[in-house]
Amino acid sequence: DFRETGYFAASEARAVGYAITLRDGQKLSAVAETGGSAVTIFLDLFRQTGDTAHPLDLVASVDTSLTPAGARLVHEVRRNGVYVLRLQPELLRSGAFTLTISTEPSLAFPVSGRDSRAVKSFFGAERDAGARQHHGVDIFAPRGTPVLAAARGVVRSISPNNLGGNVVWLSDSDRGQTLYYAHLDRHNVVAGQHVEIGDTLGFVGNTGNARTTPPHLHFAVYRRGEGPVDPYPFIYRSSARPPQITADTSELGRLARSRVKATVLASPDSRATALTTVSAATPLKVDAAAGAWFRVRLPDGTAGFVASRTVESTRRAVGRTDVATGTPLRDRPAANAAIIATAPGGALPVIGEFADYALVETADGLTAWVPSGRLK
């Protein structure tokens, strides 16, 4: 799960994307809150297709125009893969936002009083010395524990079979799939019965080929045209919660700088991929805060996360540099960058340095880049 608070400036036409690996059976929830500000936030979810001509497939969209305080995008995943959540504001409007991304199971847990920690045997495990594979998960619980409907639907069959013993086939018509419950001690439903989520279908046992194992429920998901699919993502619920935001959110939307040498990471996690390393006094545009991290942009456009403790305000200069009268003041630290003004001449405060350029501030508050000189 992930949460960040950020800021969009009206002076920039920007969007931000979040890459999320999702599995069939999960339910993605993304909530964008604006805190009552006038800006409208748009959320769009895409699936990466692997097709170079059409790399992204739009699967869901929502915005805050109808519910100004916030909007929720919910999507039940039907294909494993990488998804991209795009968040963007309406043009020419400034505003803060808080985005919370979470995943949860699309089905209710099928054994009363238990959760995914009770799953001890998983999809794809070998059975009968490799002659076949396990087409479900085994959820262990004491004999007689109620077995519950994980979705609303119709009981299609309760006819016993050699492998499953006492079984229930439940049609989950909302999703076009069938749920299979096996090794029941006894039934609590009949064929043709309509059930709601949480209704008791039967009770945990070890009938069928499970007679030599402790009581458990074999739970499986089948789809027409696909056969068995891994049921674990359908019922797994993480106990993790997004960390509290402790980074100083008063810096959002501001220009800051690195206080010390710092590593820029791909995500707000010390174990994440390192994108680059910045020296002390590197200017950073602070776009958002997540936990104890800032999402920042470097002067060359690189975006990533740095520990907020390594960032400081640019309100105090790091030194001064002599700039000749007429020196071009540029909008980026590059020789071909646009000239936004010329220097009046004299010593100017330096608030950051990057790639042989100094970021200076003129007397009228303009910030611009000049070739690095000797700091005083």
Side-chain angles (χ1 to χ4, degrees):
D1 291 359
F2 174 79
R3 177 180 292 124
E4 75 169 16
T5 294
Y7 179 81
F8 286 115
S11 59
E12 298 180 286
R14 296 190 59 248
V16 60
Y18 307 82
I20 312 166
T21 300
L22 297 172
R23 298 182 64 189
D24 184 5
Q26 289 184 306
K27 182 191 293 184
L28 174 73
S29 174
V31 179
E33 299 170 280
T34 61
S37 64
V39 64
T40 296
I41 297 292
F42 299 87
L43 282 175
D44 302 290
L45 182 67
F46 301 85
R47 182 181 61 85
Q48 290 188 356
T49 64
D51 182 349
T52 55
H54 301 91
L56 295 175
D57 180 27
L58 178 65
V59 295
S61 294
V62 72
D63 64 68
T64 62
S65 60
L66 298 179
T67 52
R72 179 188 297 271
L73 181 151
V74 177
H75 176 68
E76 286 196 13
V77 181
R78 293 297 297 261
R79 295 185 184 180
N80 296 338
V82 177
Y83 290 71
V84 176
L85 180 69
R86 182 180 66 190
L87 183 147
Q88 61 183 341
E90 61 181 312
L91 292 175
L92 306 178
R93 284 288 183 93
S94 296
F97 68 88
T98 296
L99 174 69
T100 304
I101 303 172
S102 59
T103 57
E104 57 187 81
S106 58
L107 299 178
F109 201 77
V111 177
S112 178
R114 294 294 188 271
D115 58 29
S116 50
R117 292 173 294 182
V119 177
K120 302 301 181 184
S121 182
F122 295 87
F123 185 84
E126 288 189 352
R127 291 291 189 270
D128 297 337
R132 61 185 181 89
Q133 289 186 325
H134 195 214
H135 286 167
V137 294
D138 290 340
I139 304 167
F140 287 80
R143 185 184 306 278
T145 302
V147 169
L148 310 177
R152 68 185 185 93
V154 177
V155 177
R156 293 303 182 193
S157 173
I158 61 169
S159 298
N161 62 59
N162 291 333
L163 290 178
N166 294 328
V167 304
V168 170
W169 293 90
L170 176 65
S171 176
D172 177 8
S173 55
D174 289 342
R175 298 173 181 84
Q177 59 195 20
T178 300
L179 311 182
Y180 176 63
Y181 300 76
H183 308 315
L184 303 181
D185 188 61
R186 63 189 189 279
H187 294 105
N188 195 54
V189 289
V190 296
Q193 183 174 336
H194 289 258
V195 297
E196 297 294 329
I197 296 172
D199 285 352
T200 299
L201 305 180
F203 303 90
V204 170
N206 62 343
T207 56
N209 70 346
R211 289 184 296 274
T212 60
T213 66
H216 66 275
L217 170 70
H218 172 90
F219 180 73
V221 176
Y222 291 84
R223 286 214 190 106
R224 182 176 299 174
E226 296 182 49
V229 295
D230 186 357
Y232 191 66
F234 289 79
I235 59 174
Y236 170 74
R237 184 182 297 277
S238 172
S239 60
R241 294 292 179 266
Q244 181 180 356
I245 296 175
T246 57
D248 183 2
T249 55
S250 68
E251 293 293 335
L252 299 184
R254 297 180 183 272
L255 183 66
R257 66 174 173 248
S258 52
R259 182 176 56 82
V260 294
K261 183 178 180 180
T263 302
V264 182
L265 302 175
S267 63
D269 185 332
S270 58
R271 299 164 295 180
T273 301
L275 301 178
T276 189
T277 300
V278 296
S279 304
T282 298
L284 307 168
K285 187 63 177 293
V286 180
D287 288 326
W293 301 80
F294 282 137
R295 177 162 55 80
V296 300
R297 281 177 286 153
L298 276 60
D300 64 0
T302 300
F305 291 85
V306 296
S308 60
R309 67 178 184 276
T310 67
V311 176
E312 66 179 8
S313 169
T314 57
R315 296 180 185 89
R316 179 182 59 82
V318 296
R320 299 176 72 85
T321 187
D322 288 323
V323 181
T325 301
T327 298
L329 301 179
R330 301 184 183 274
D331 66 348
R332 293 182 296 109
N336 63 350
I339 299 173
I340 55 178
T342 56
L348 293 178
V350 175
I351 59 175
E353 293 185 292
F354 184 80
D356 298 325
Y357 281 80
L359 184 62
V360 298
E361 187 171 25
T362 65
D364 57 2
L366 176 69
T367 57
W369 294 91
V370 298
S372 291
R374 188 170 183 177
L375 295 185
K376 297 179 178 179

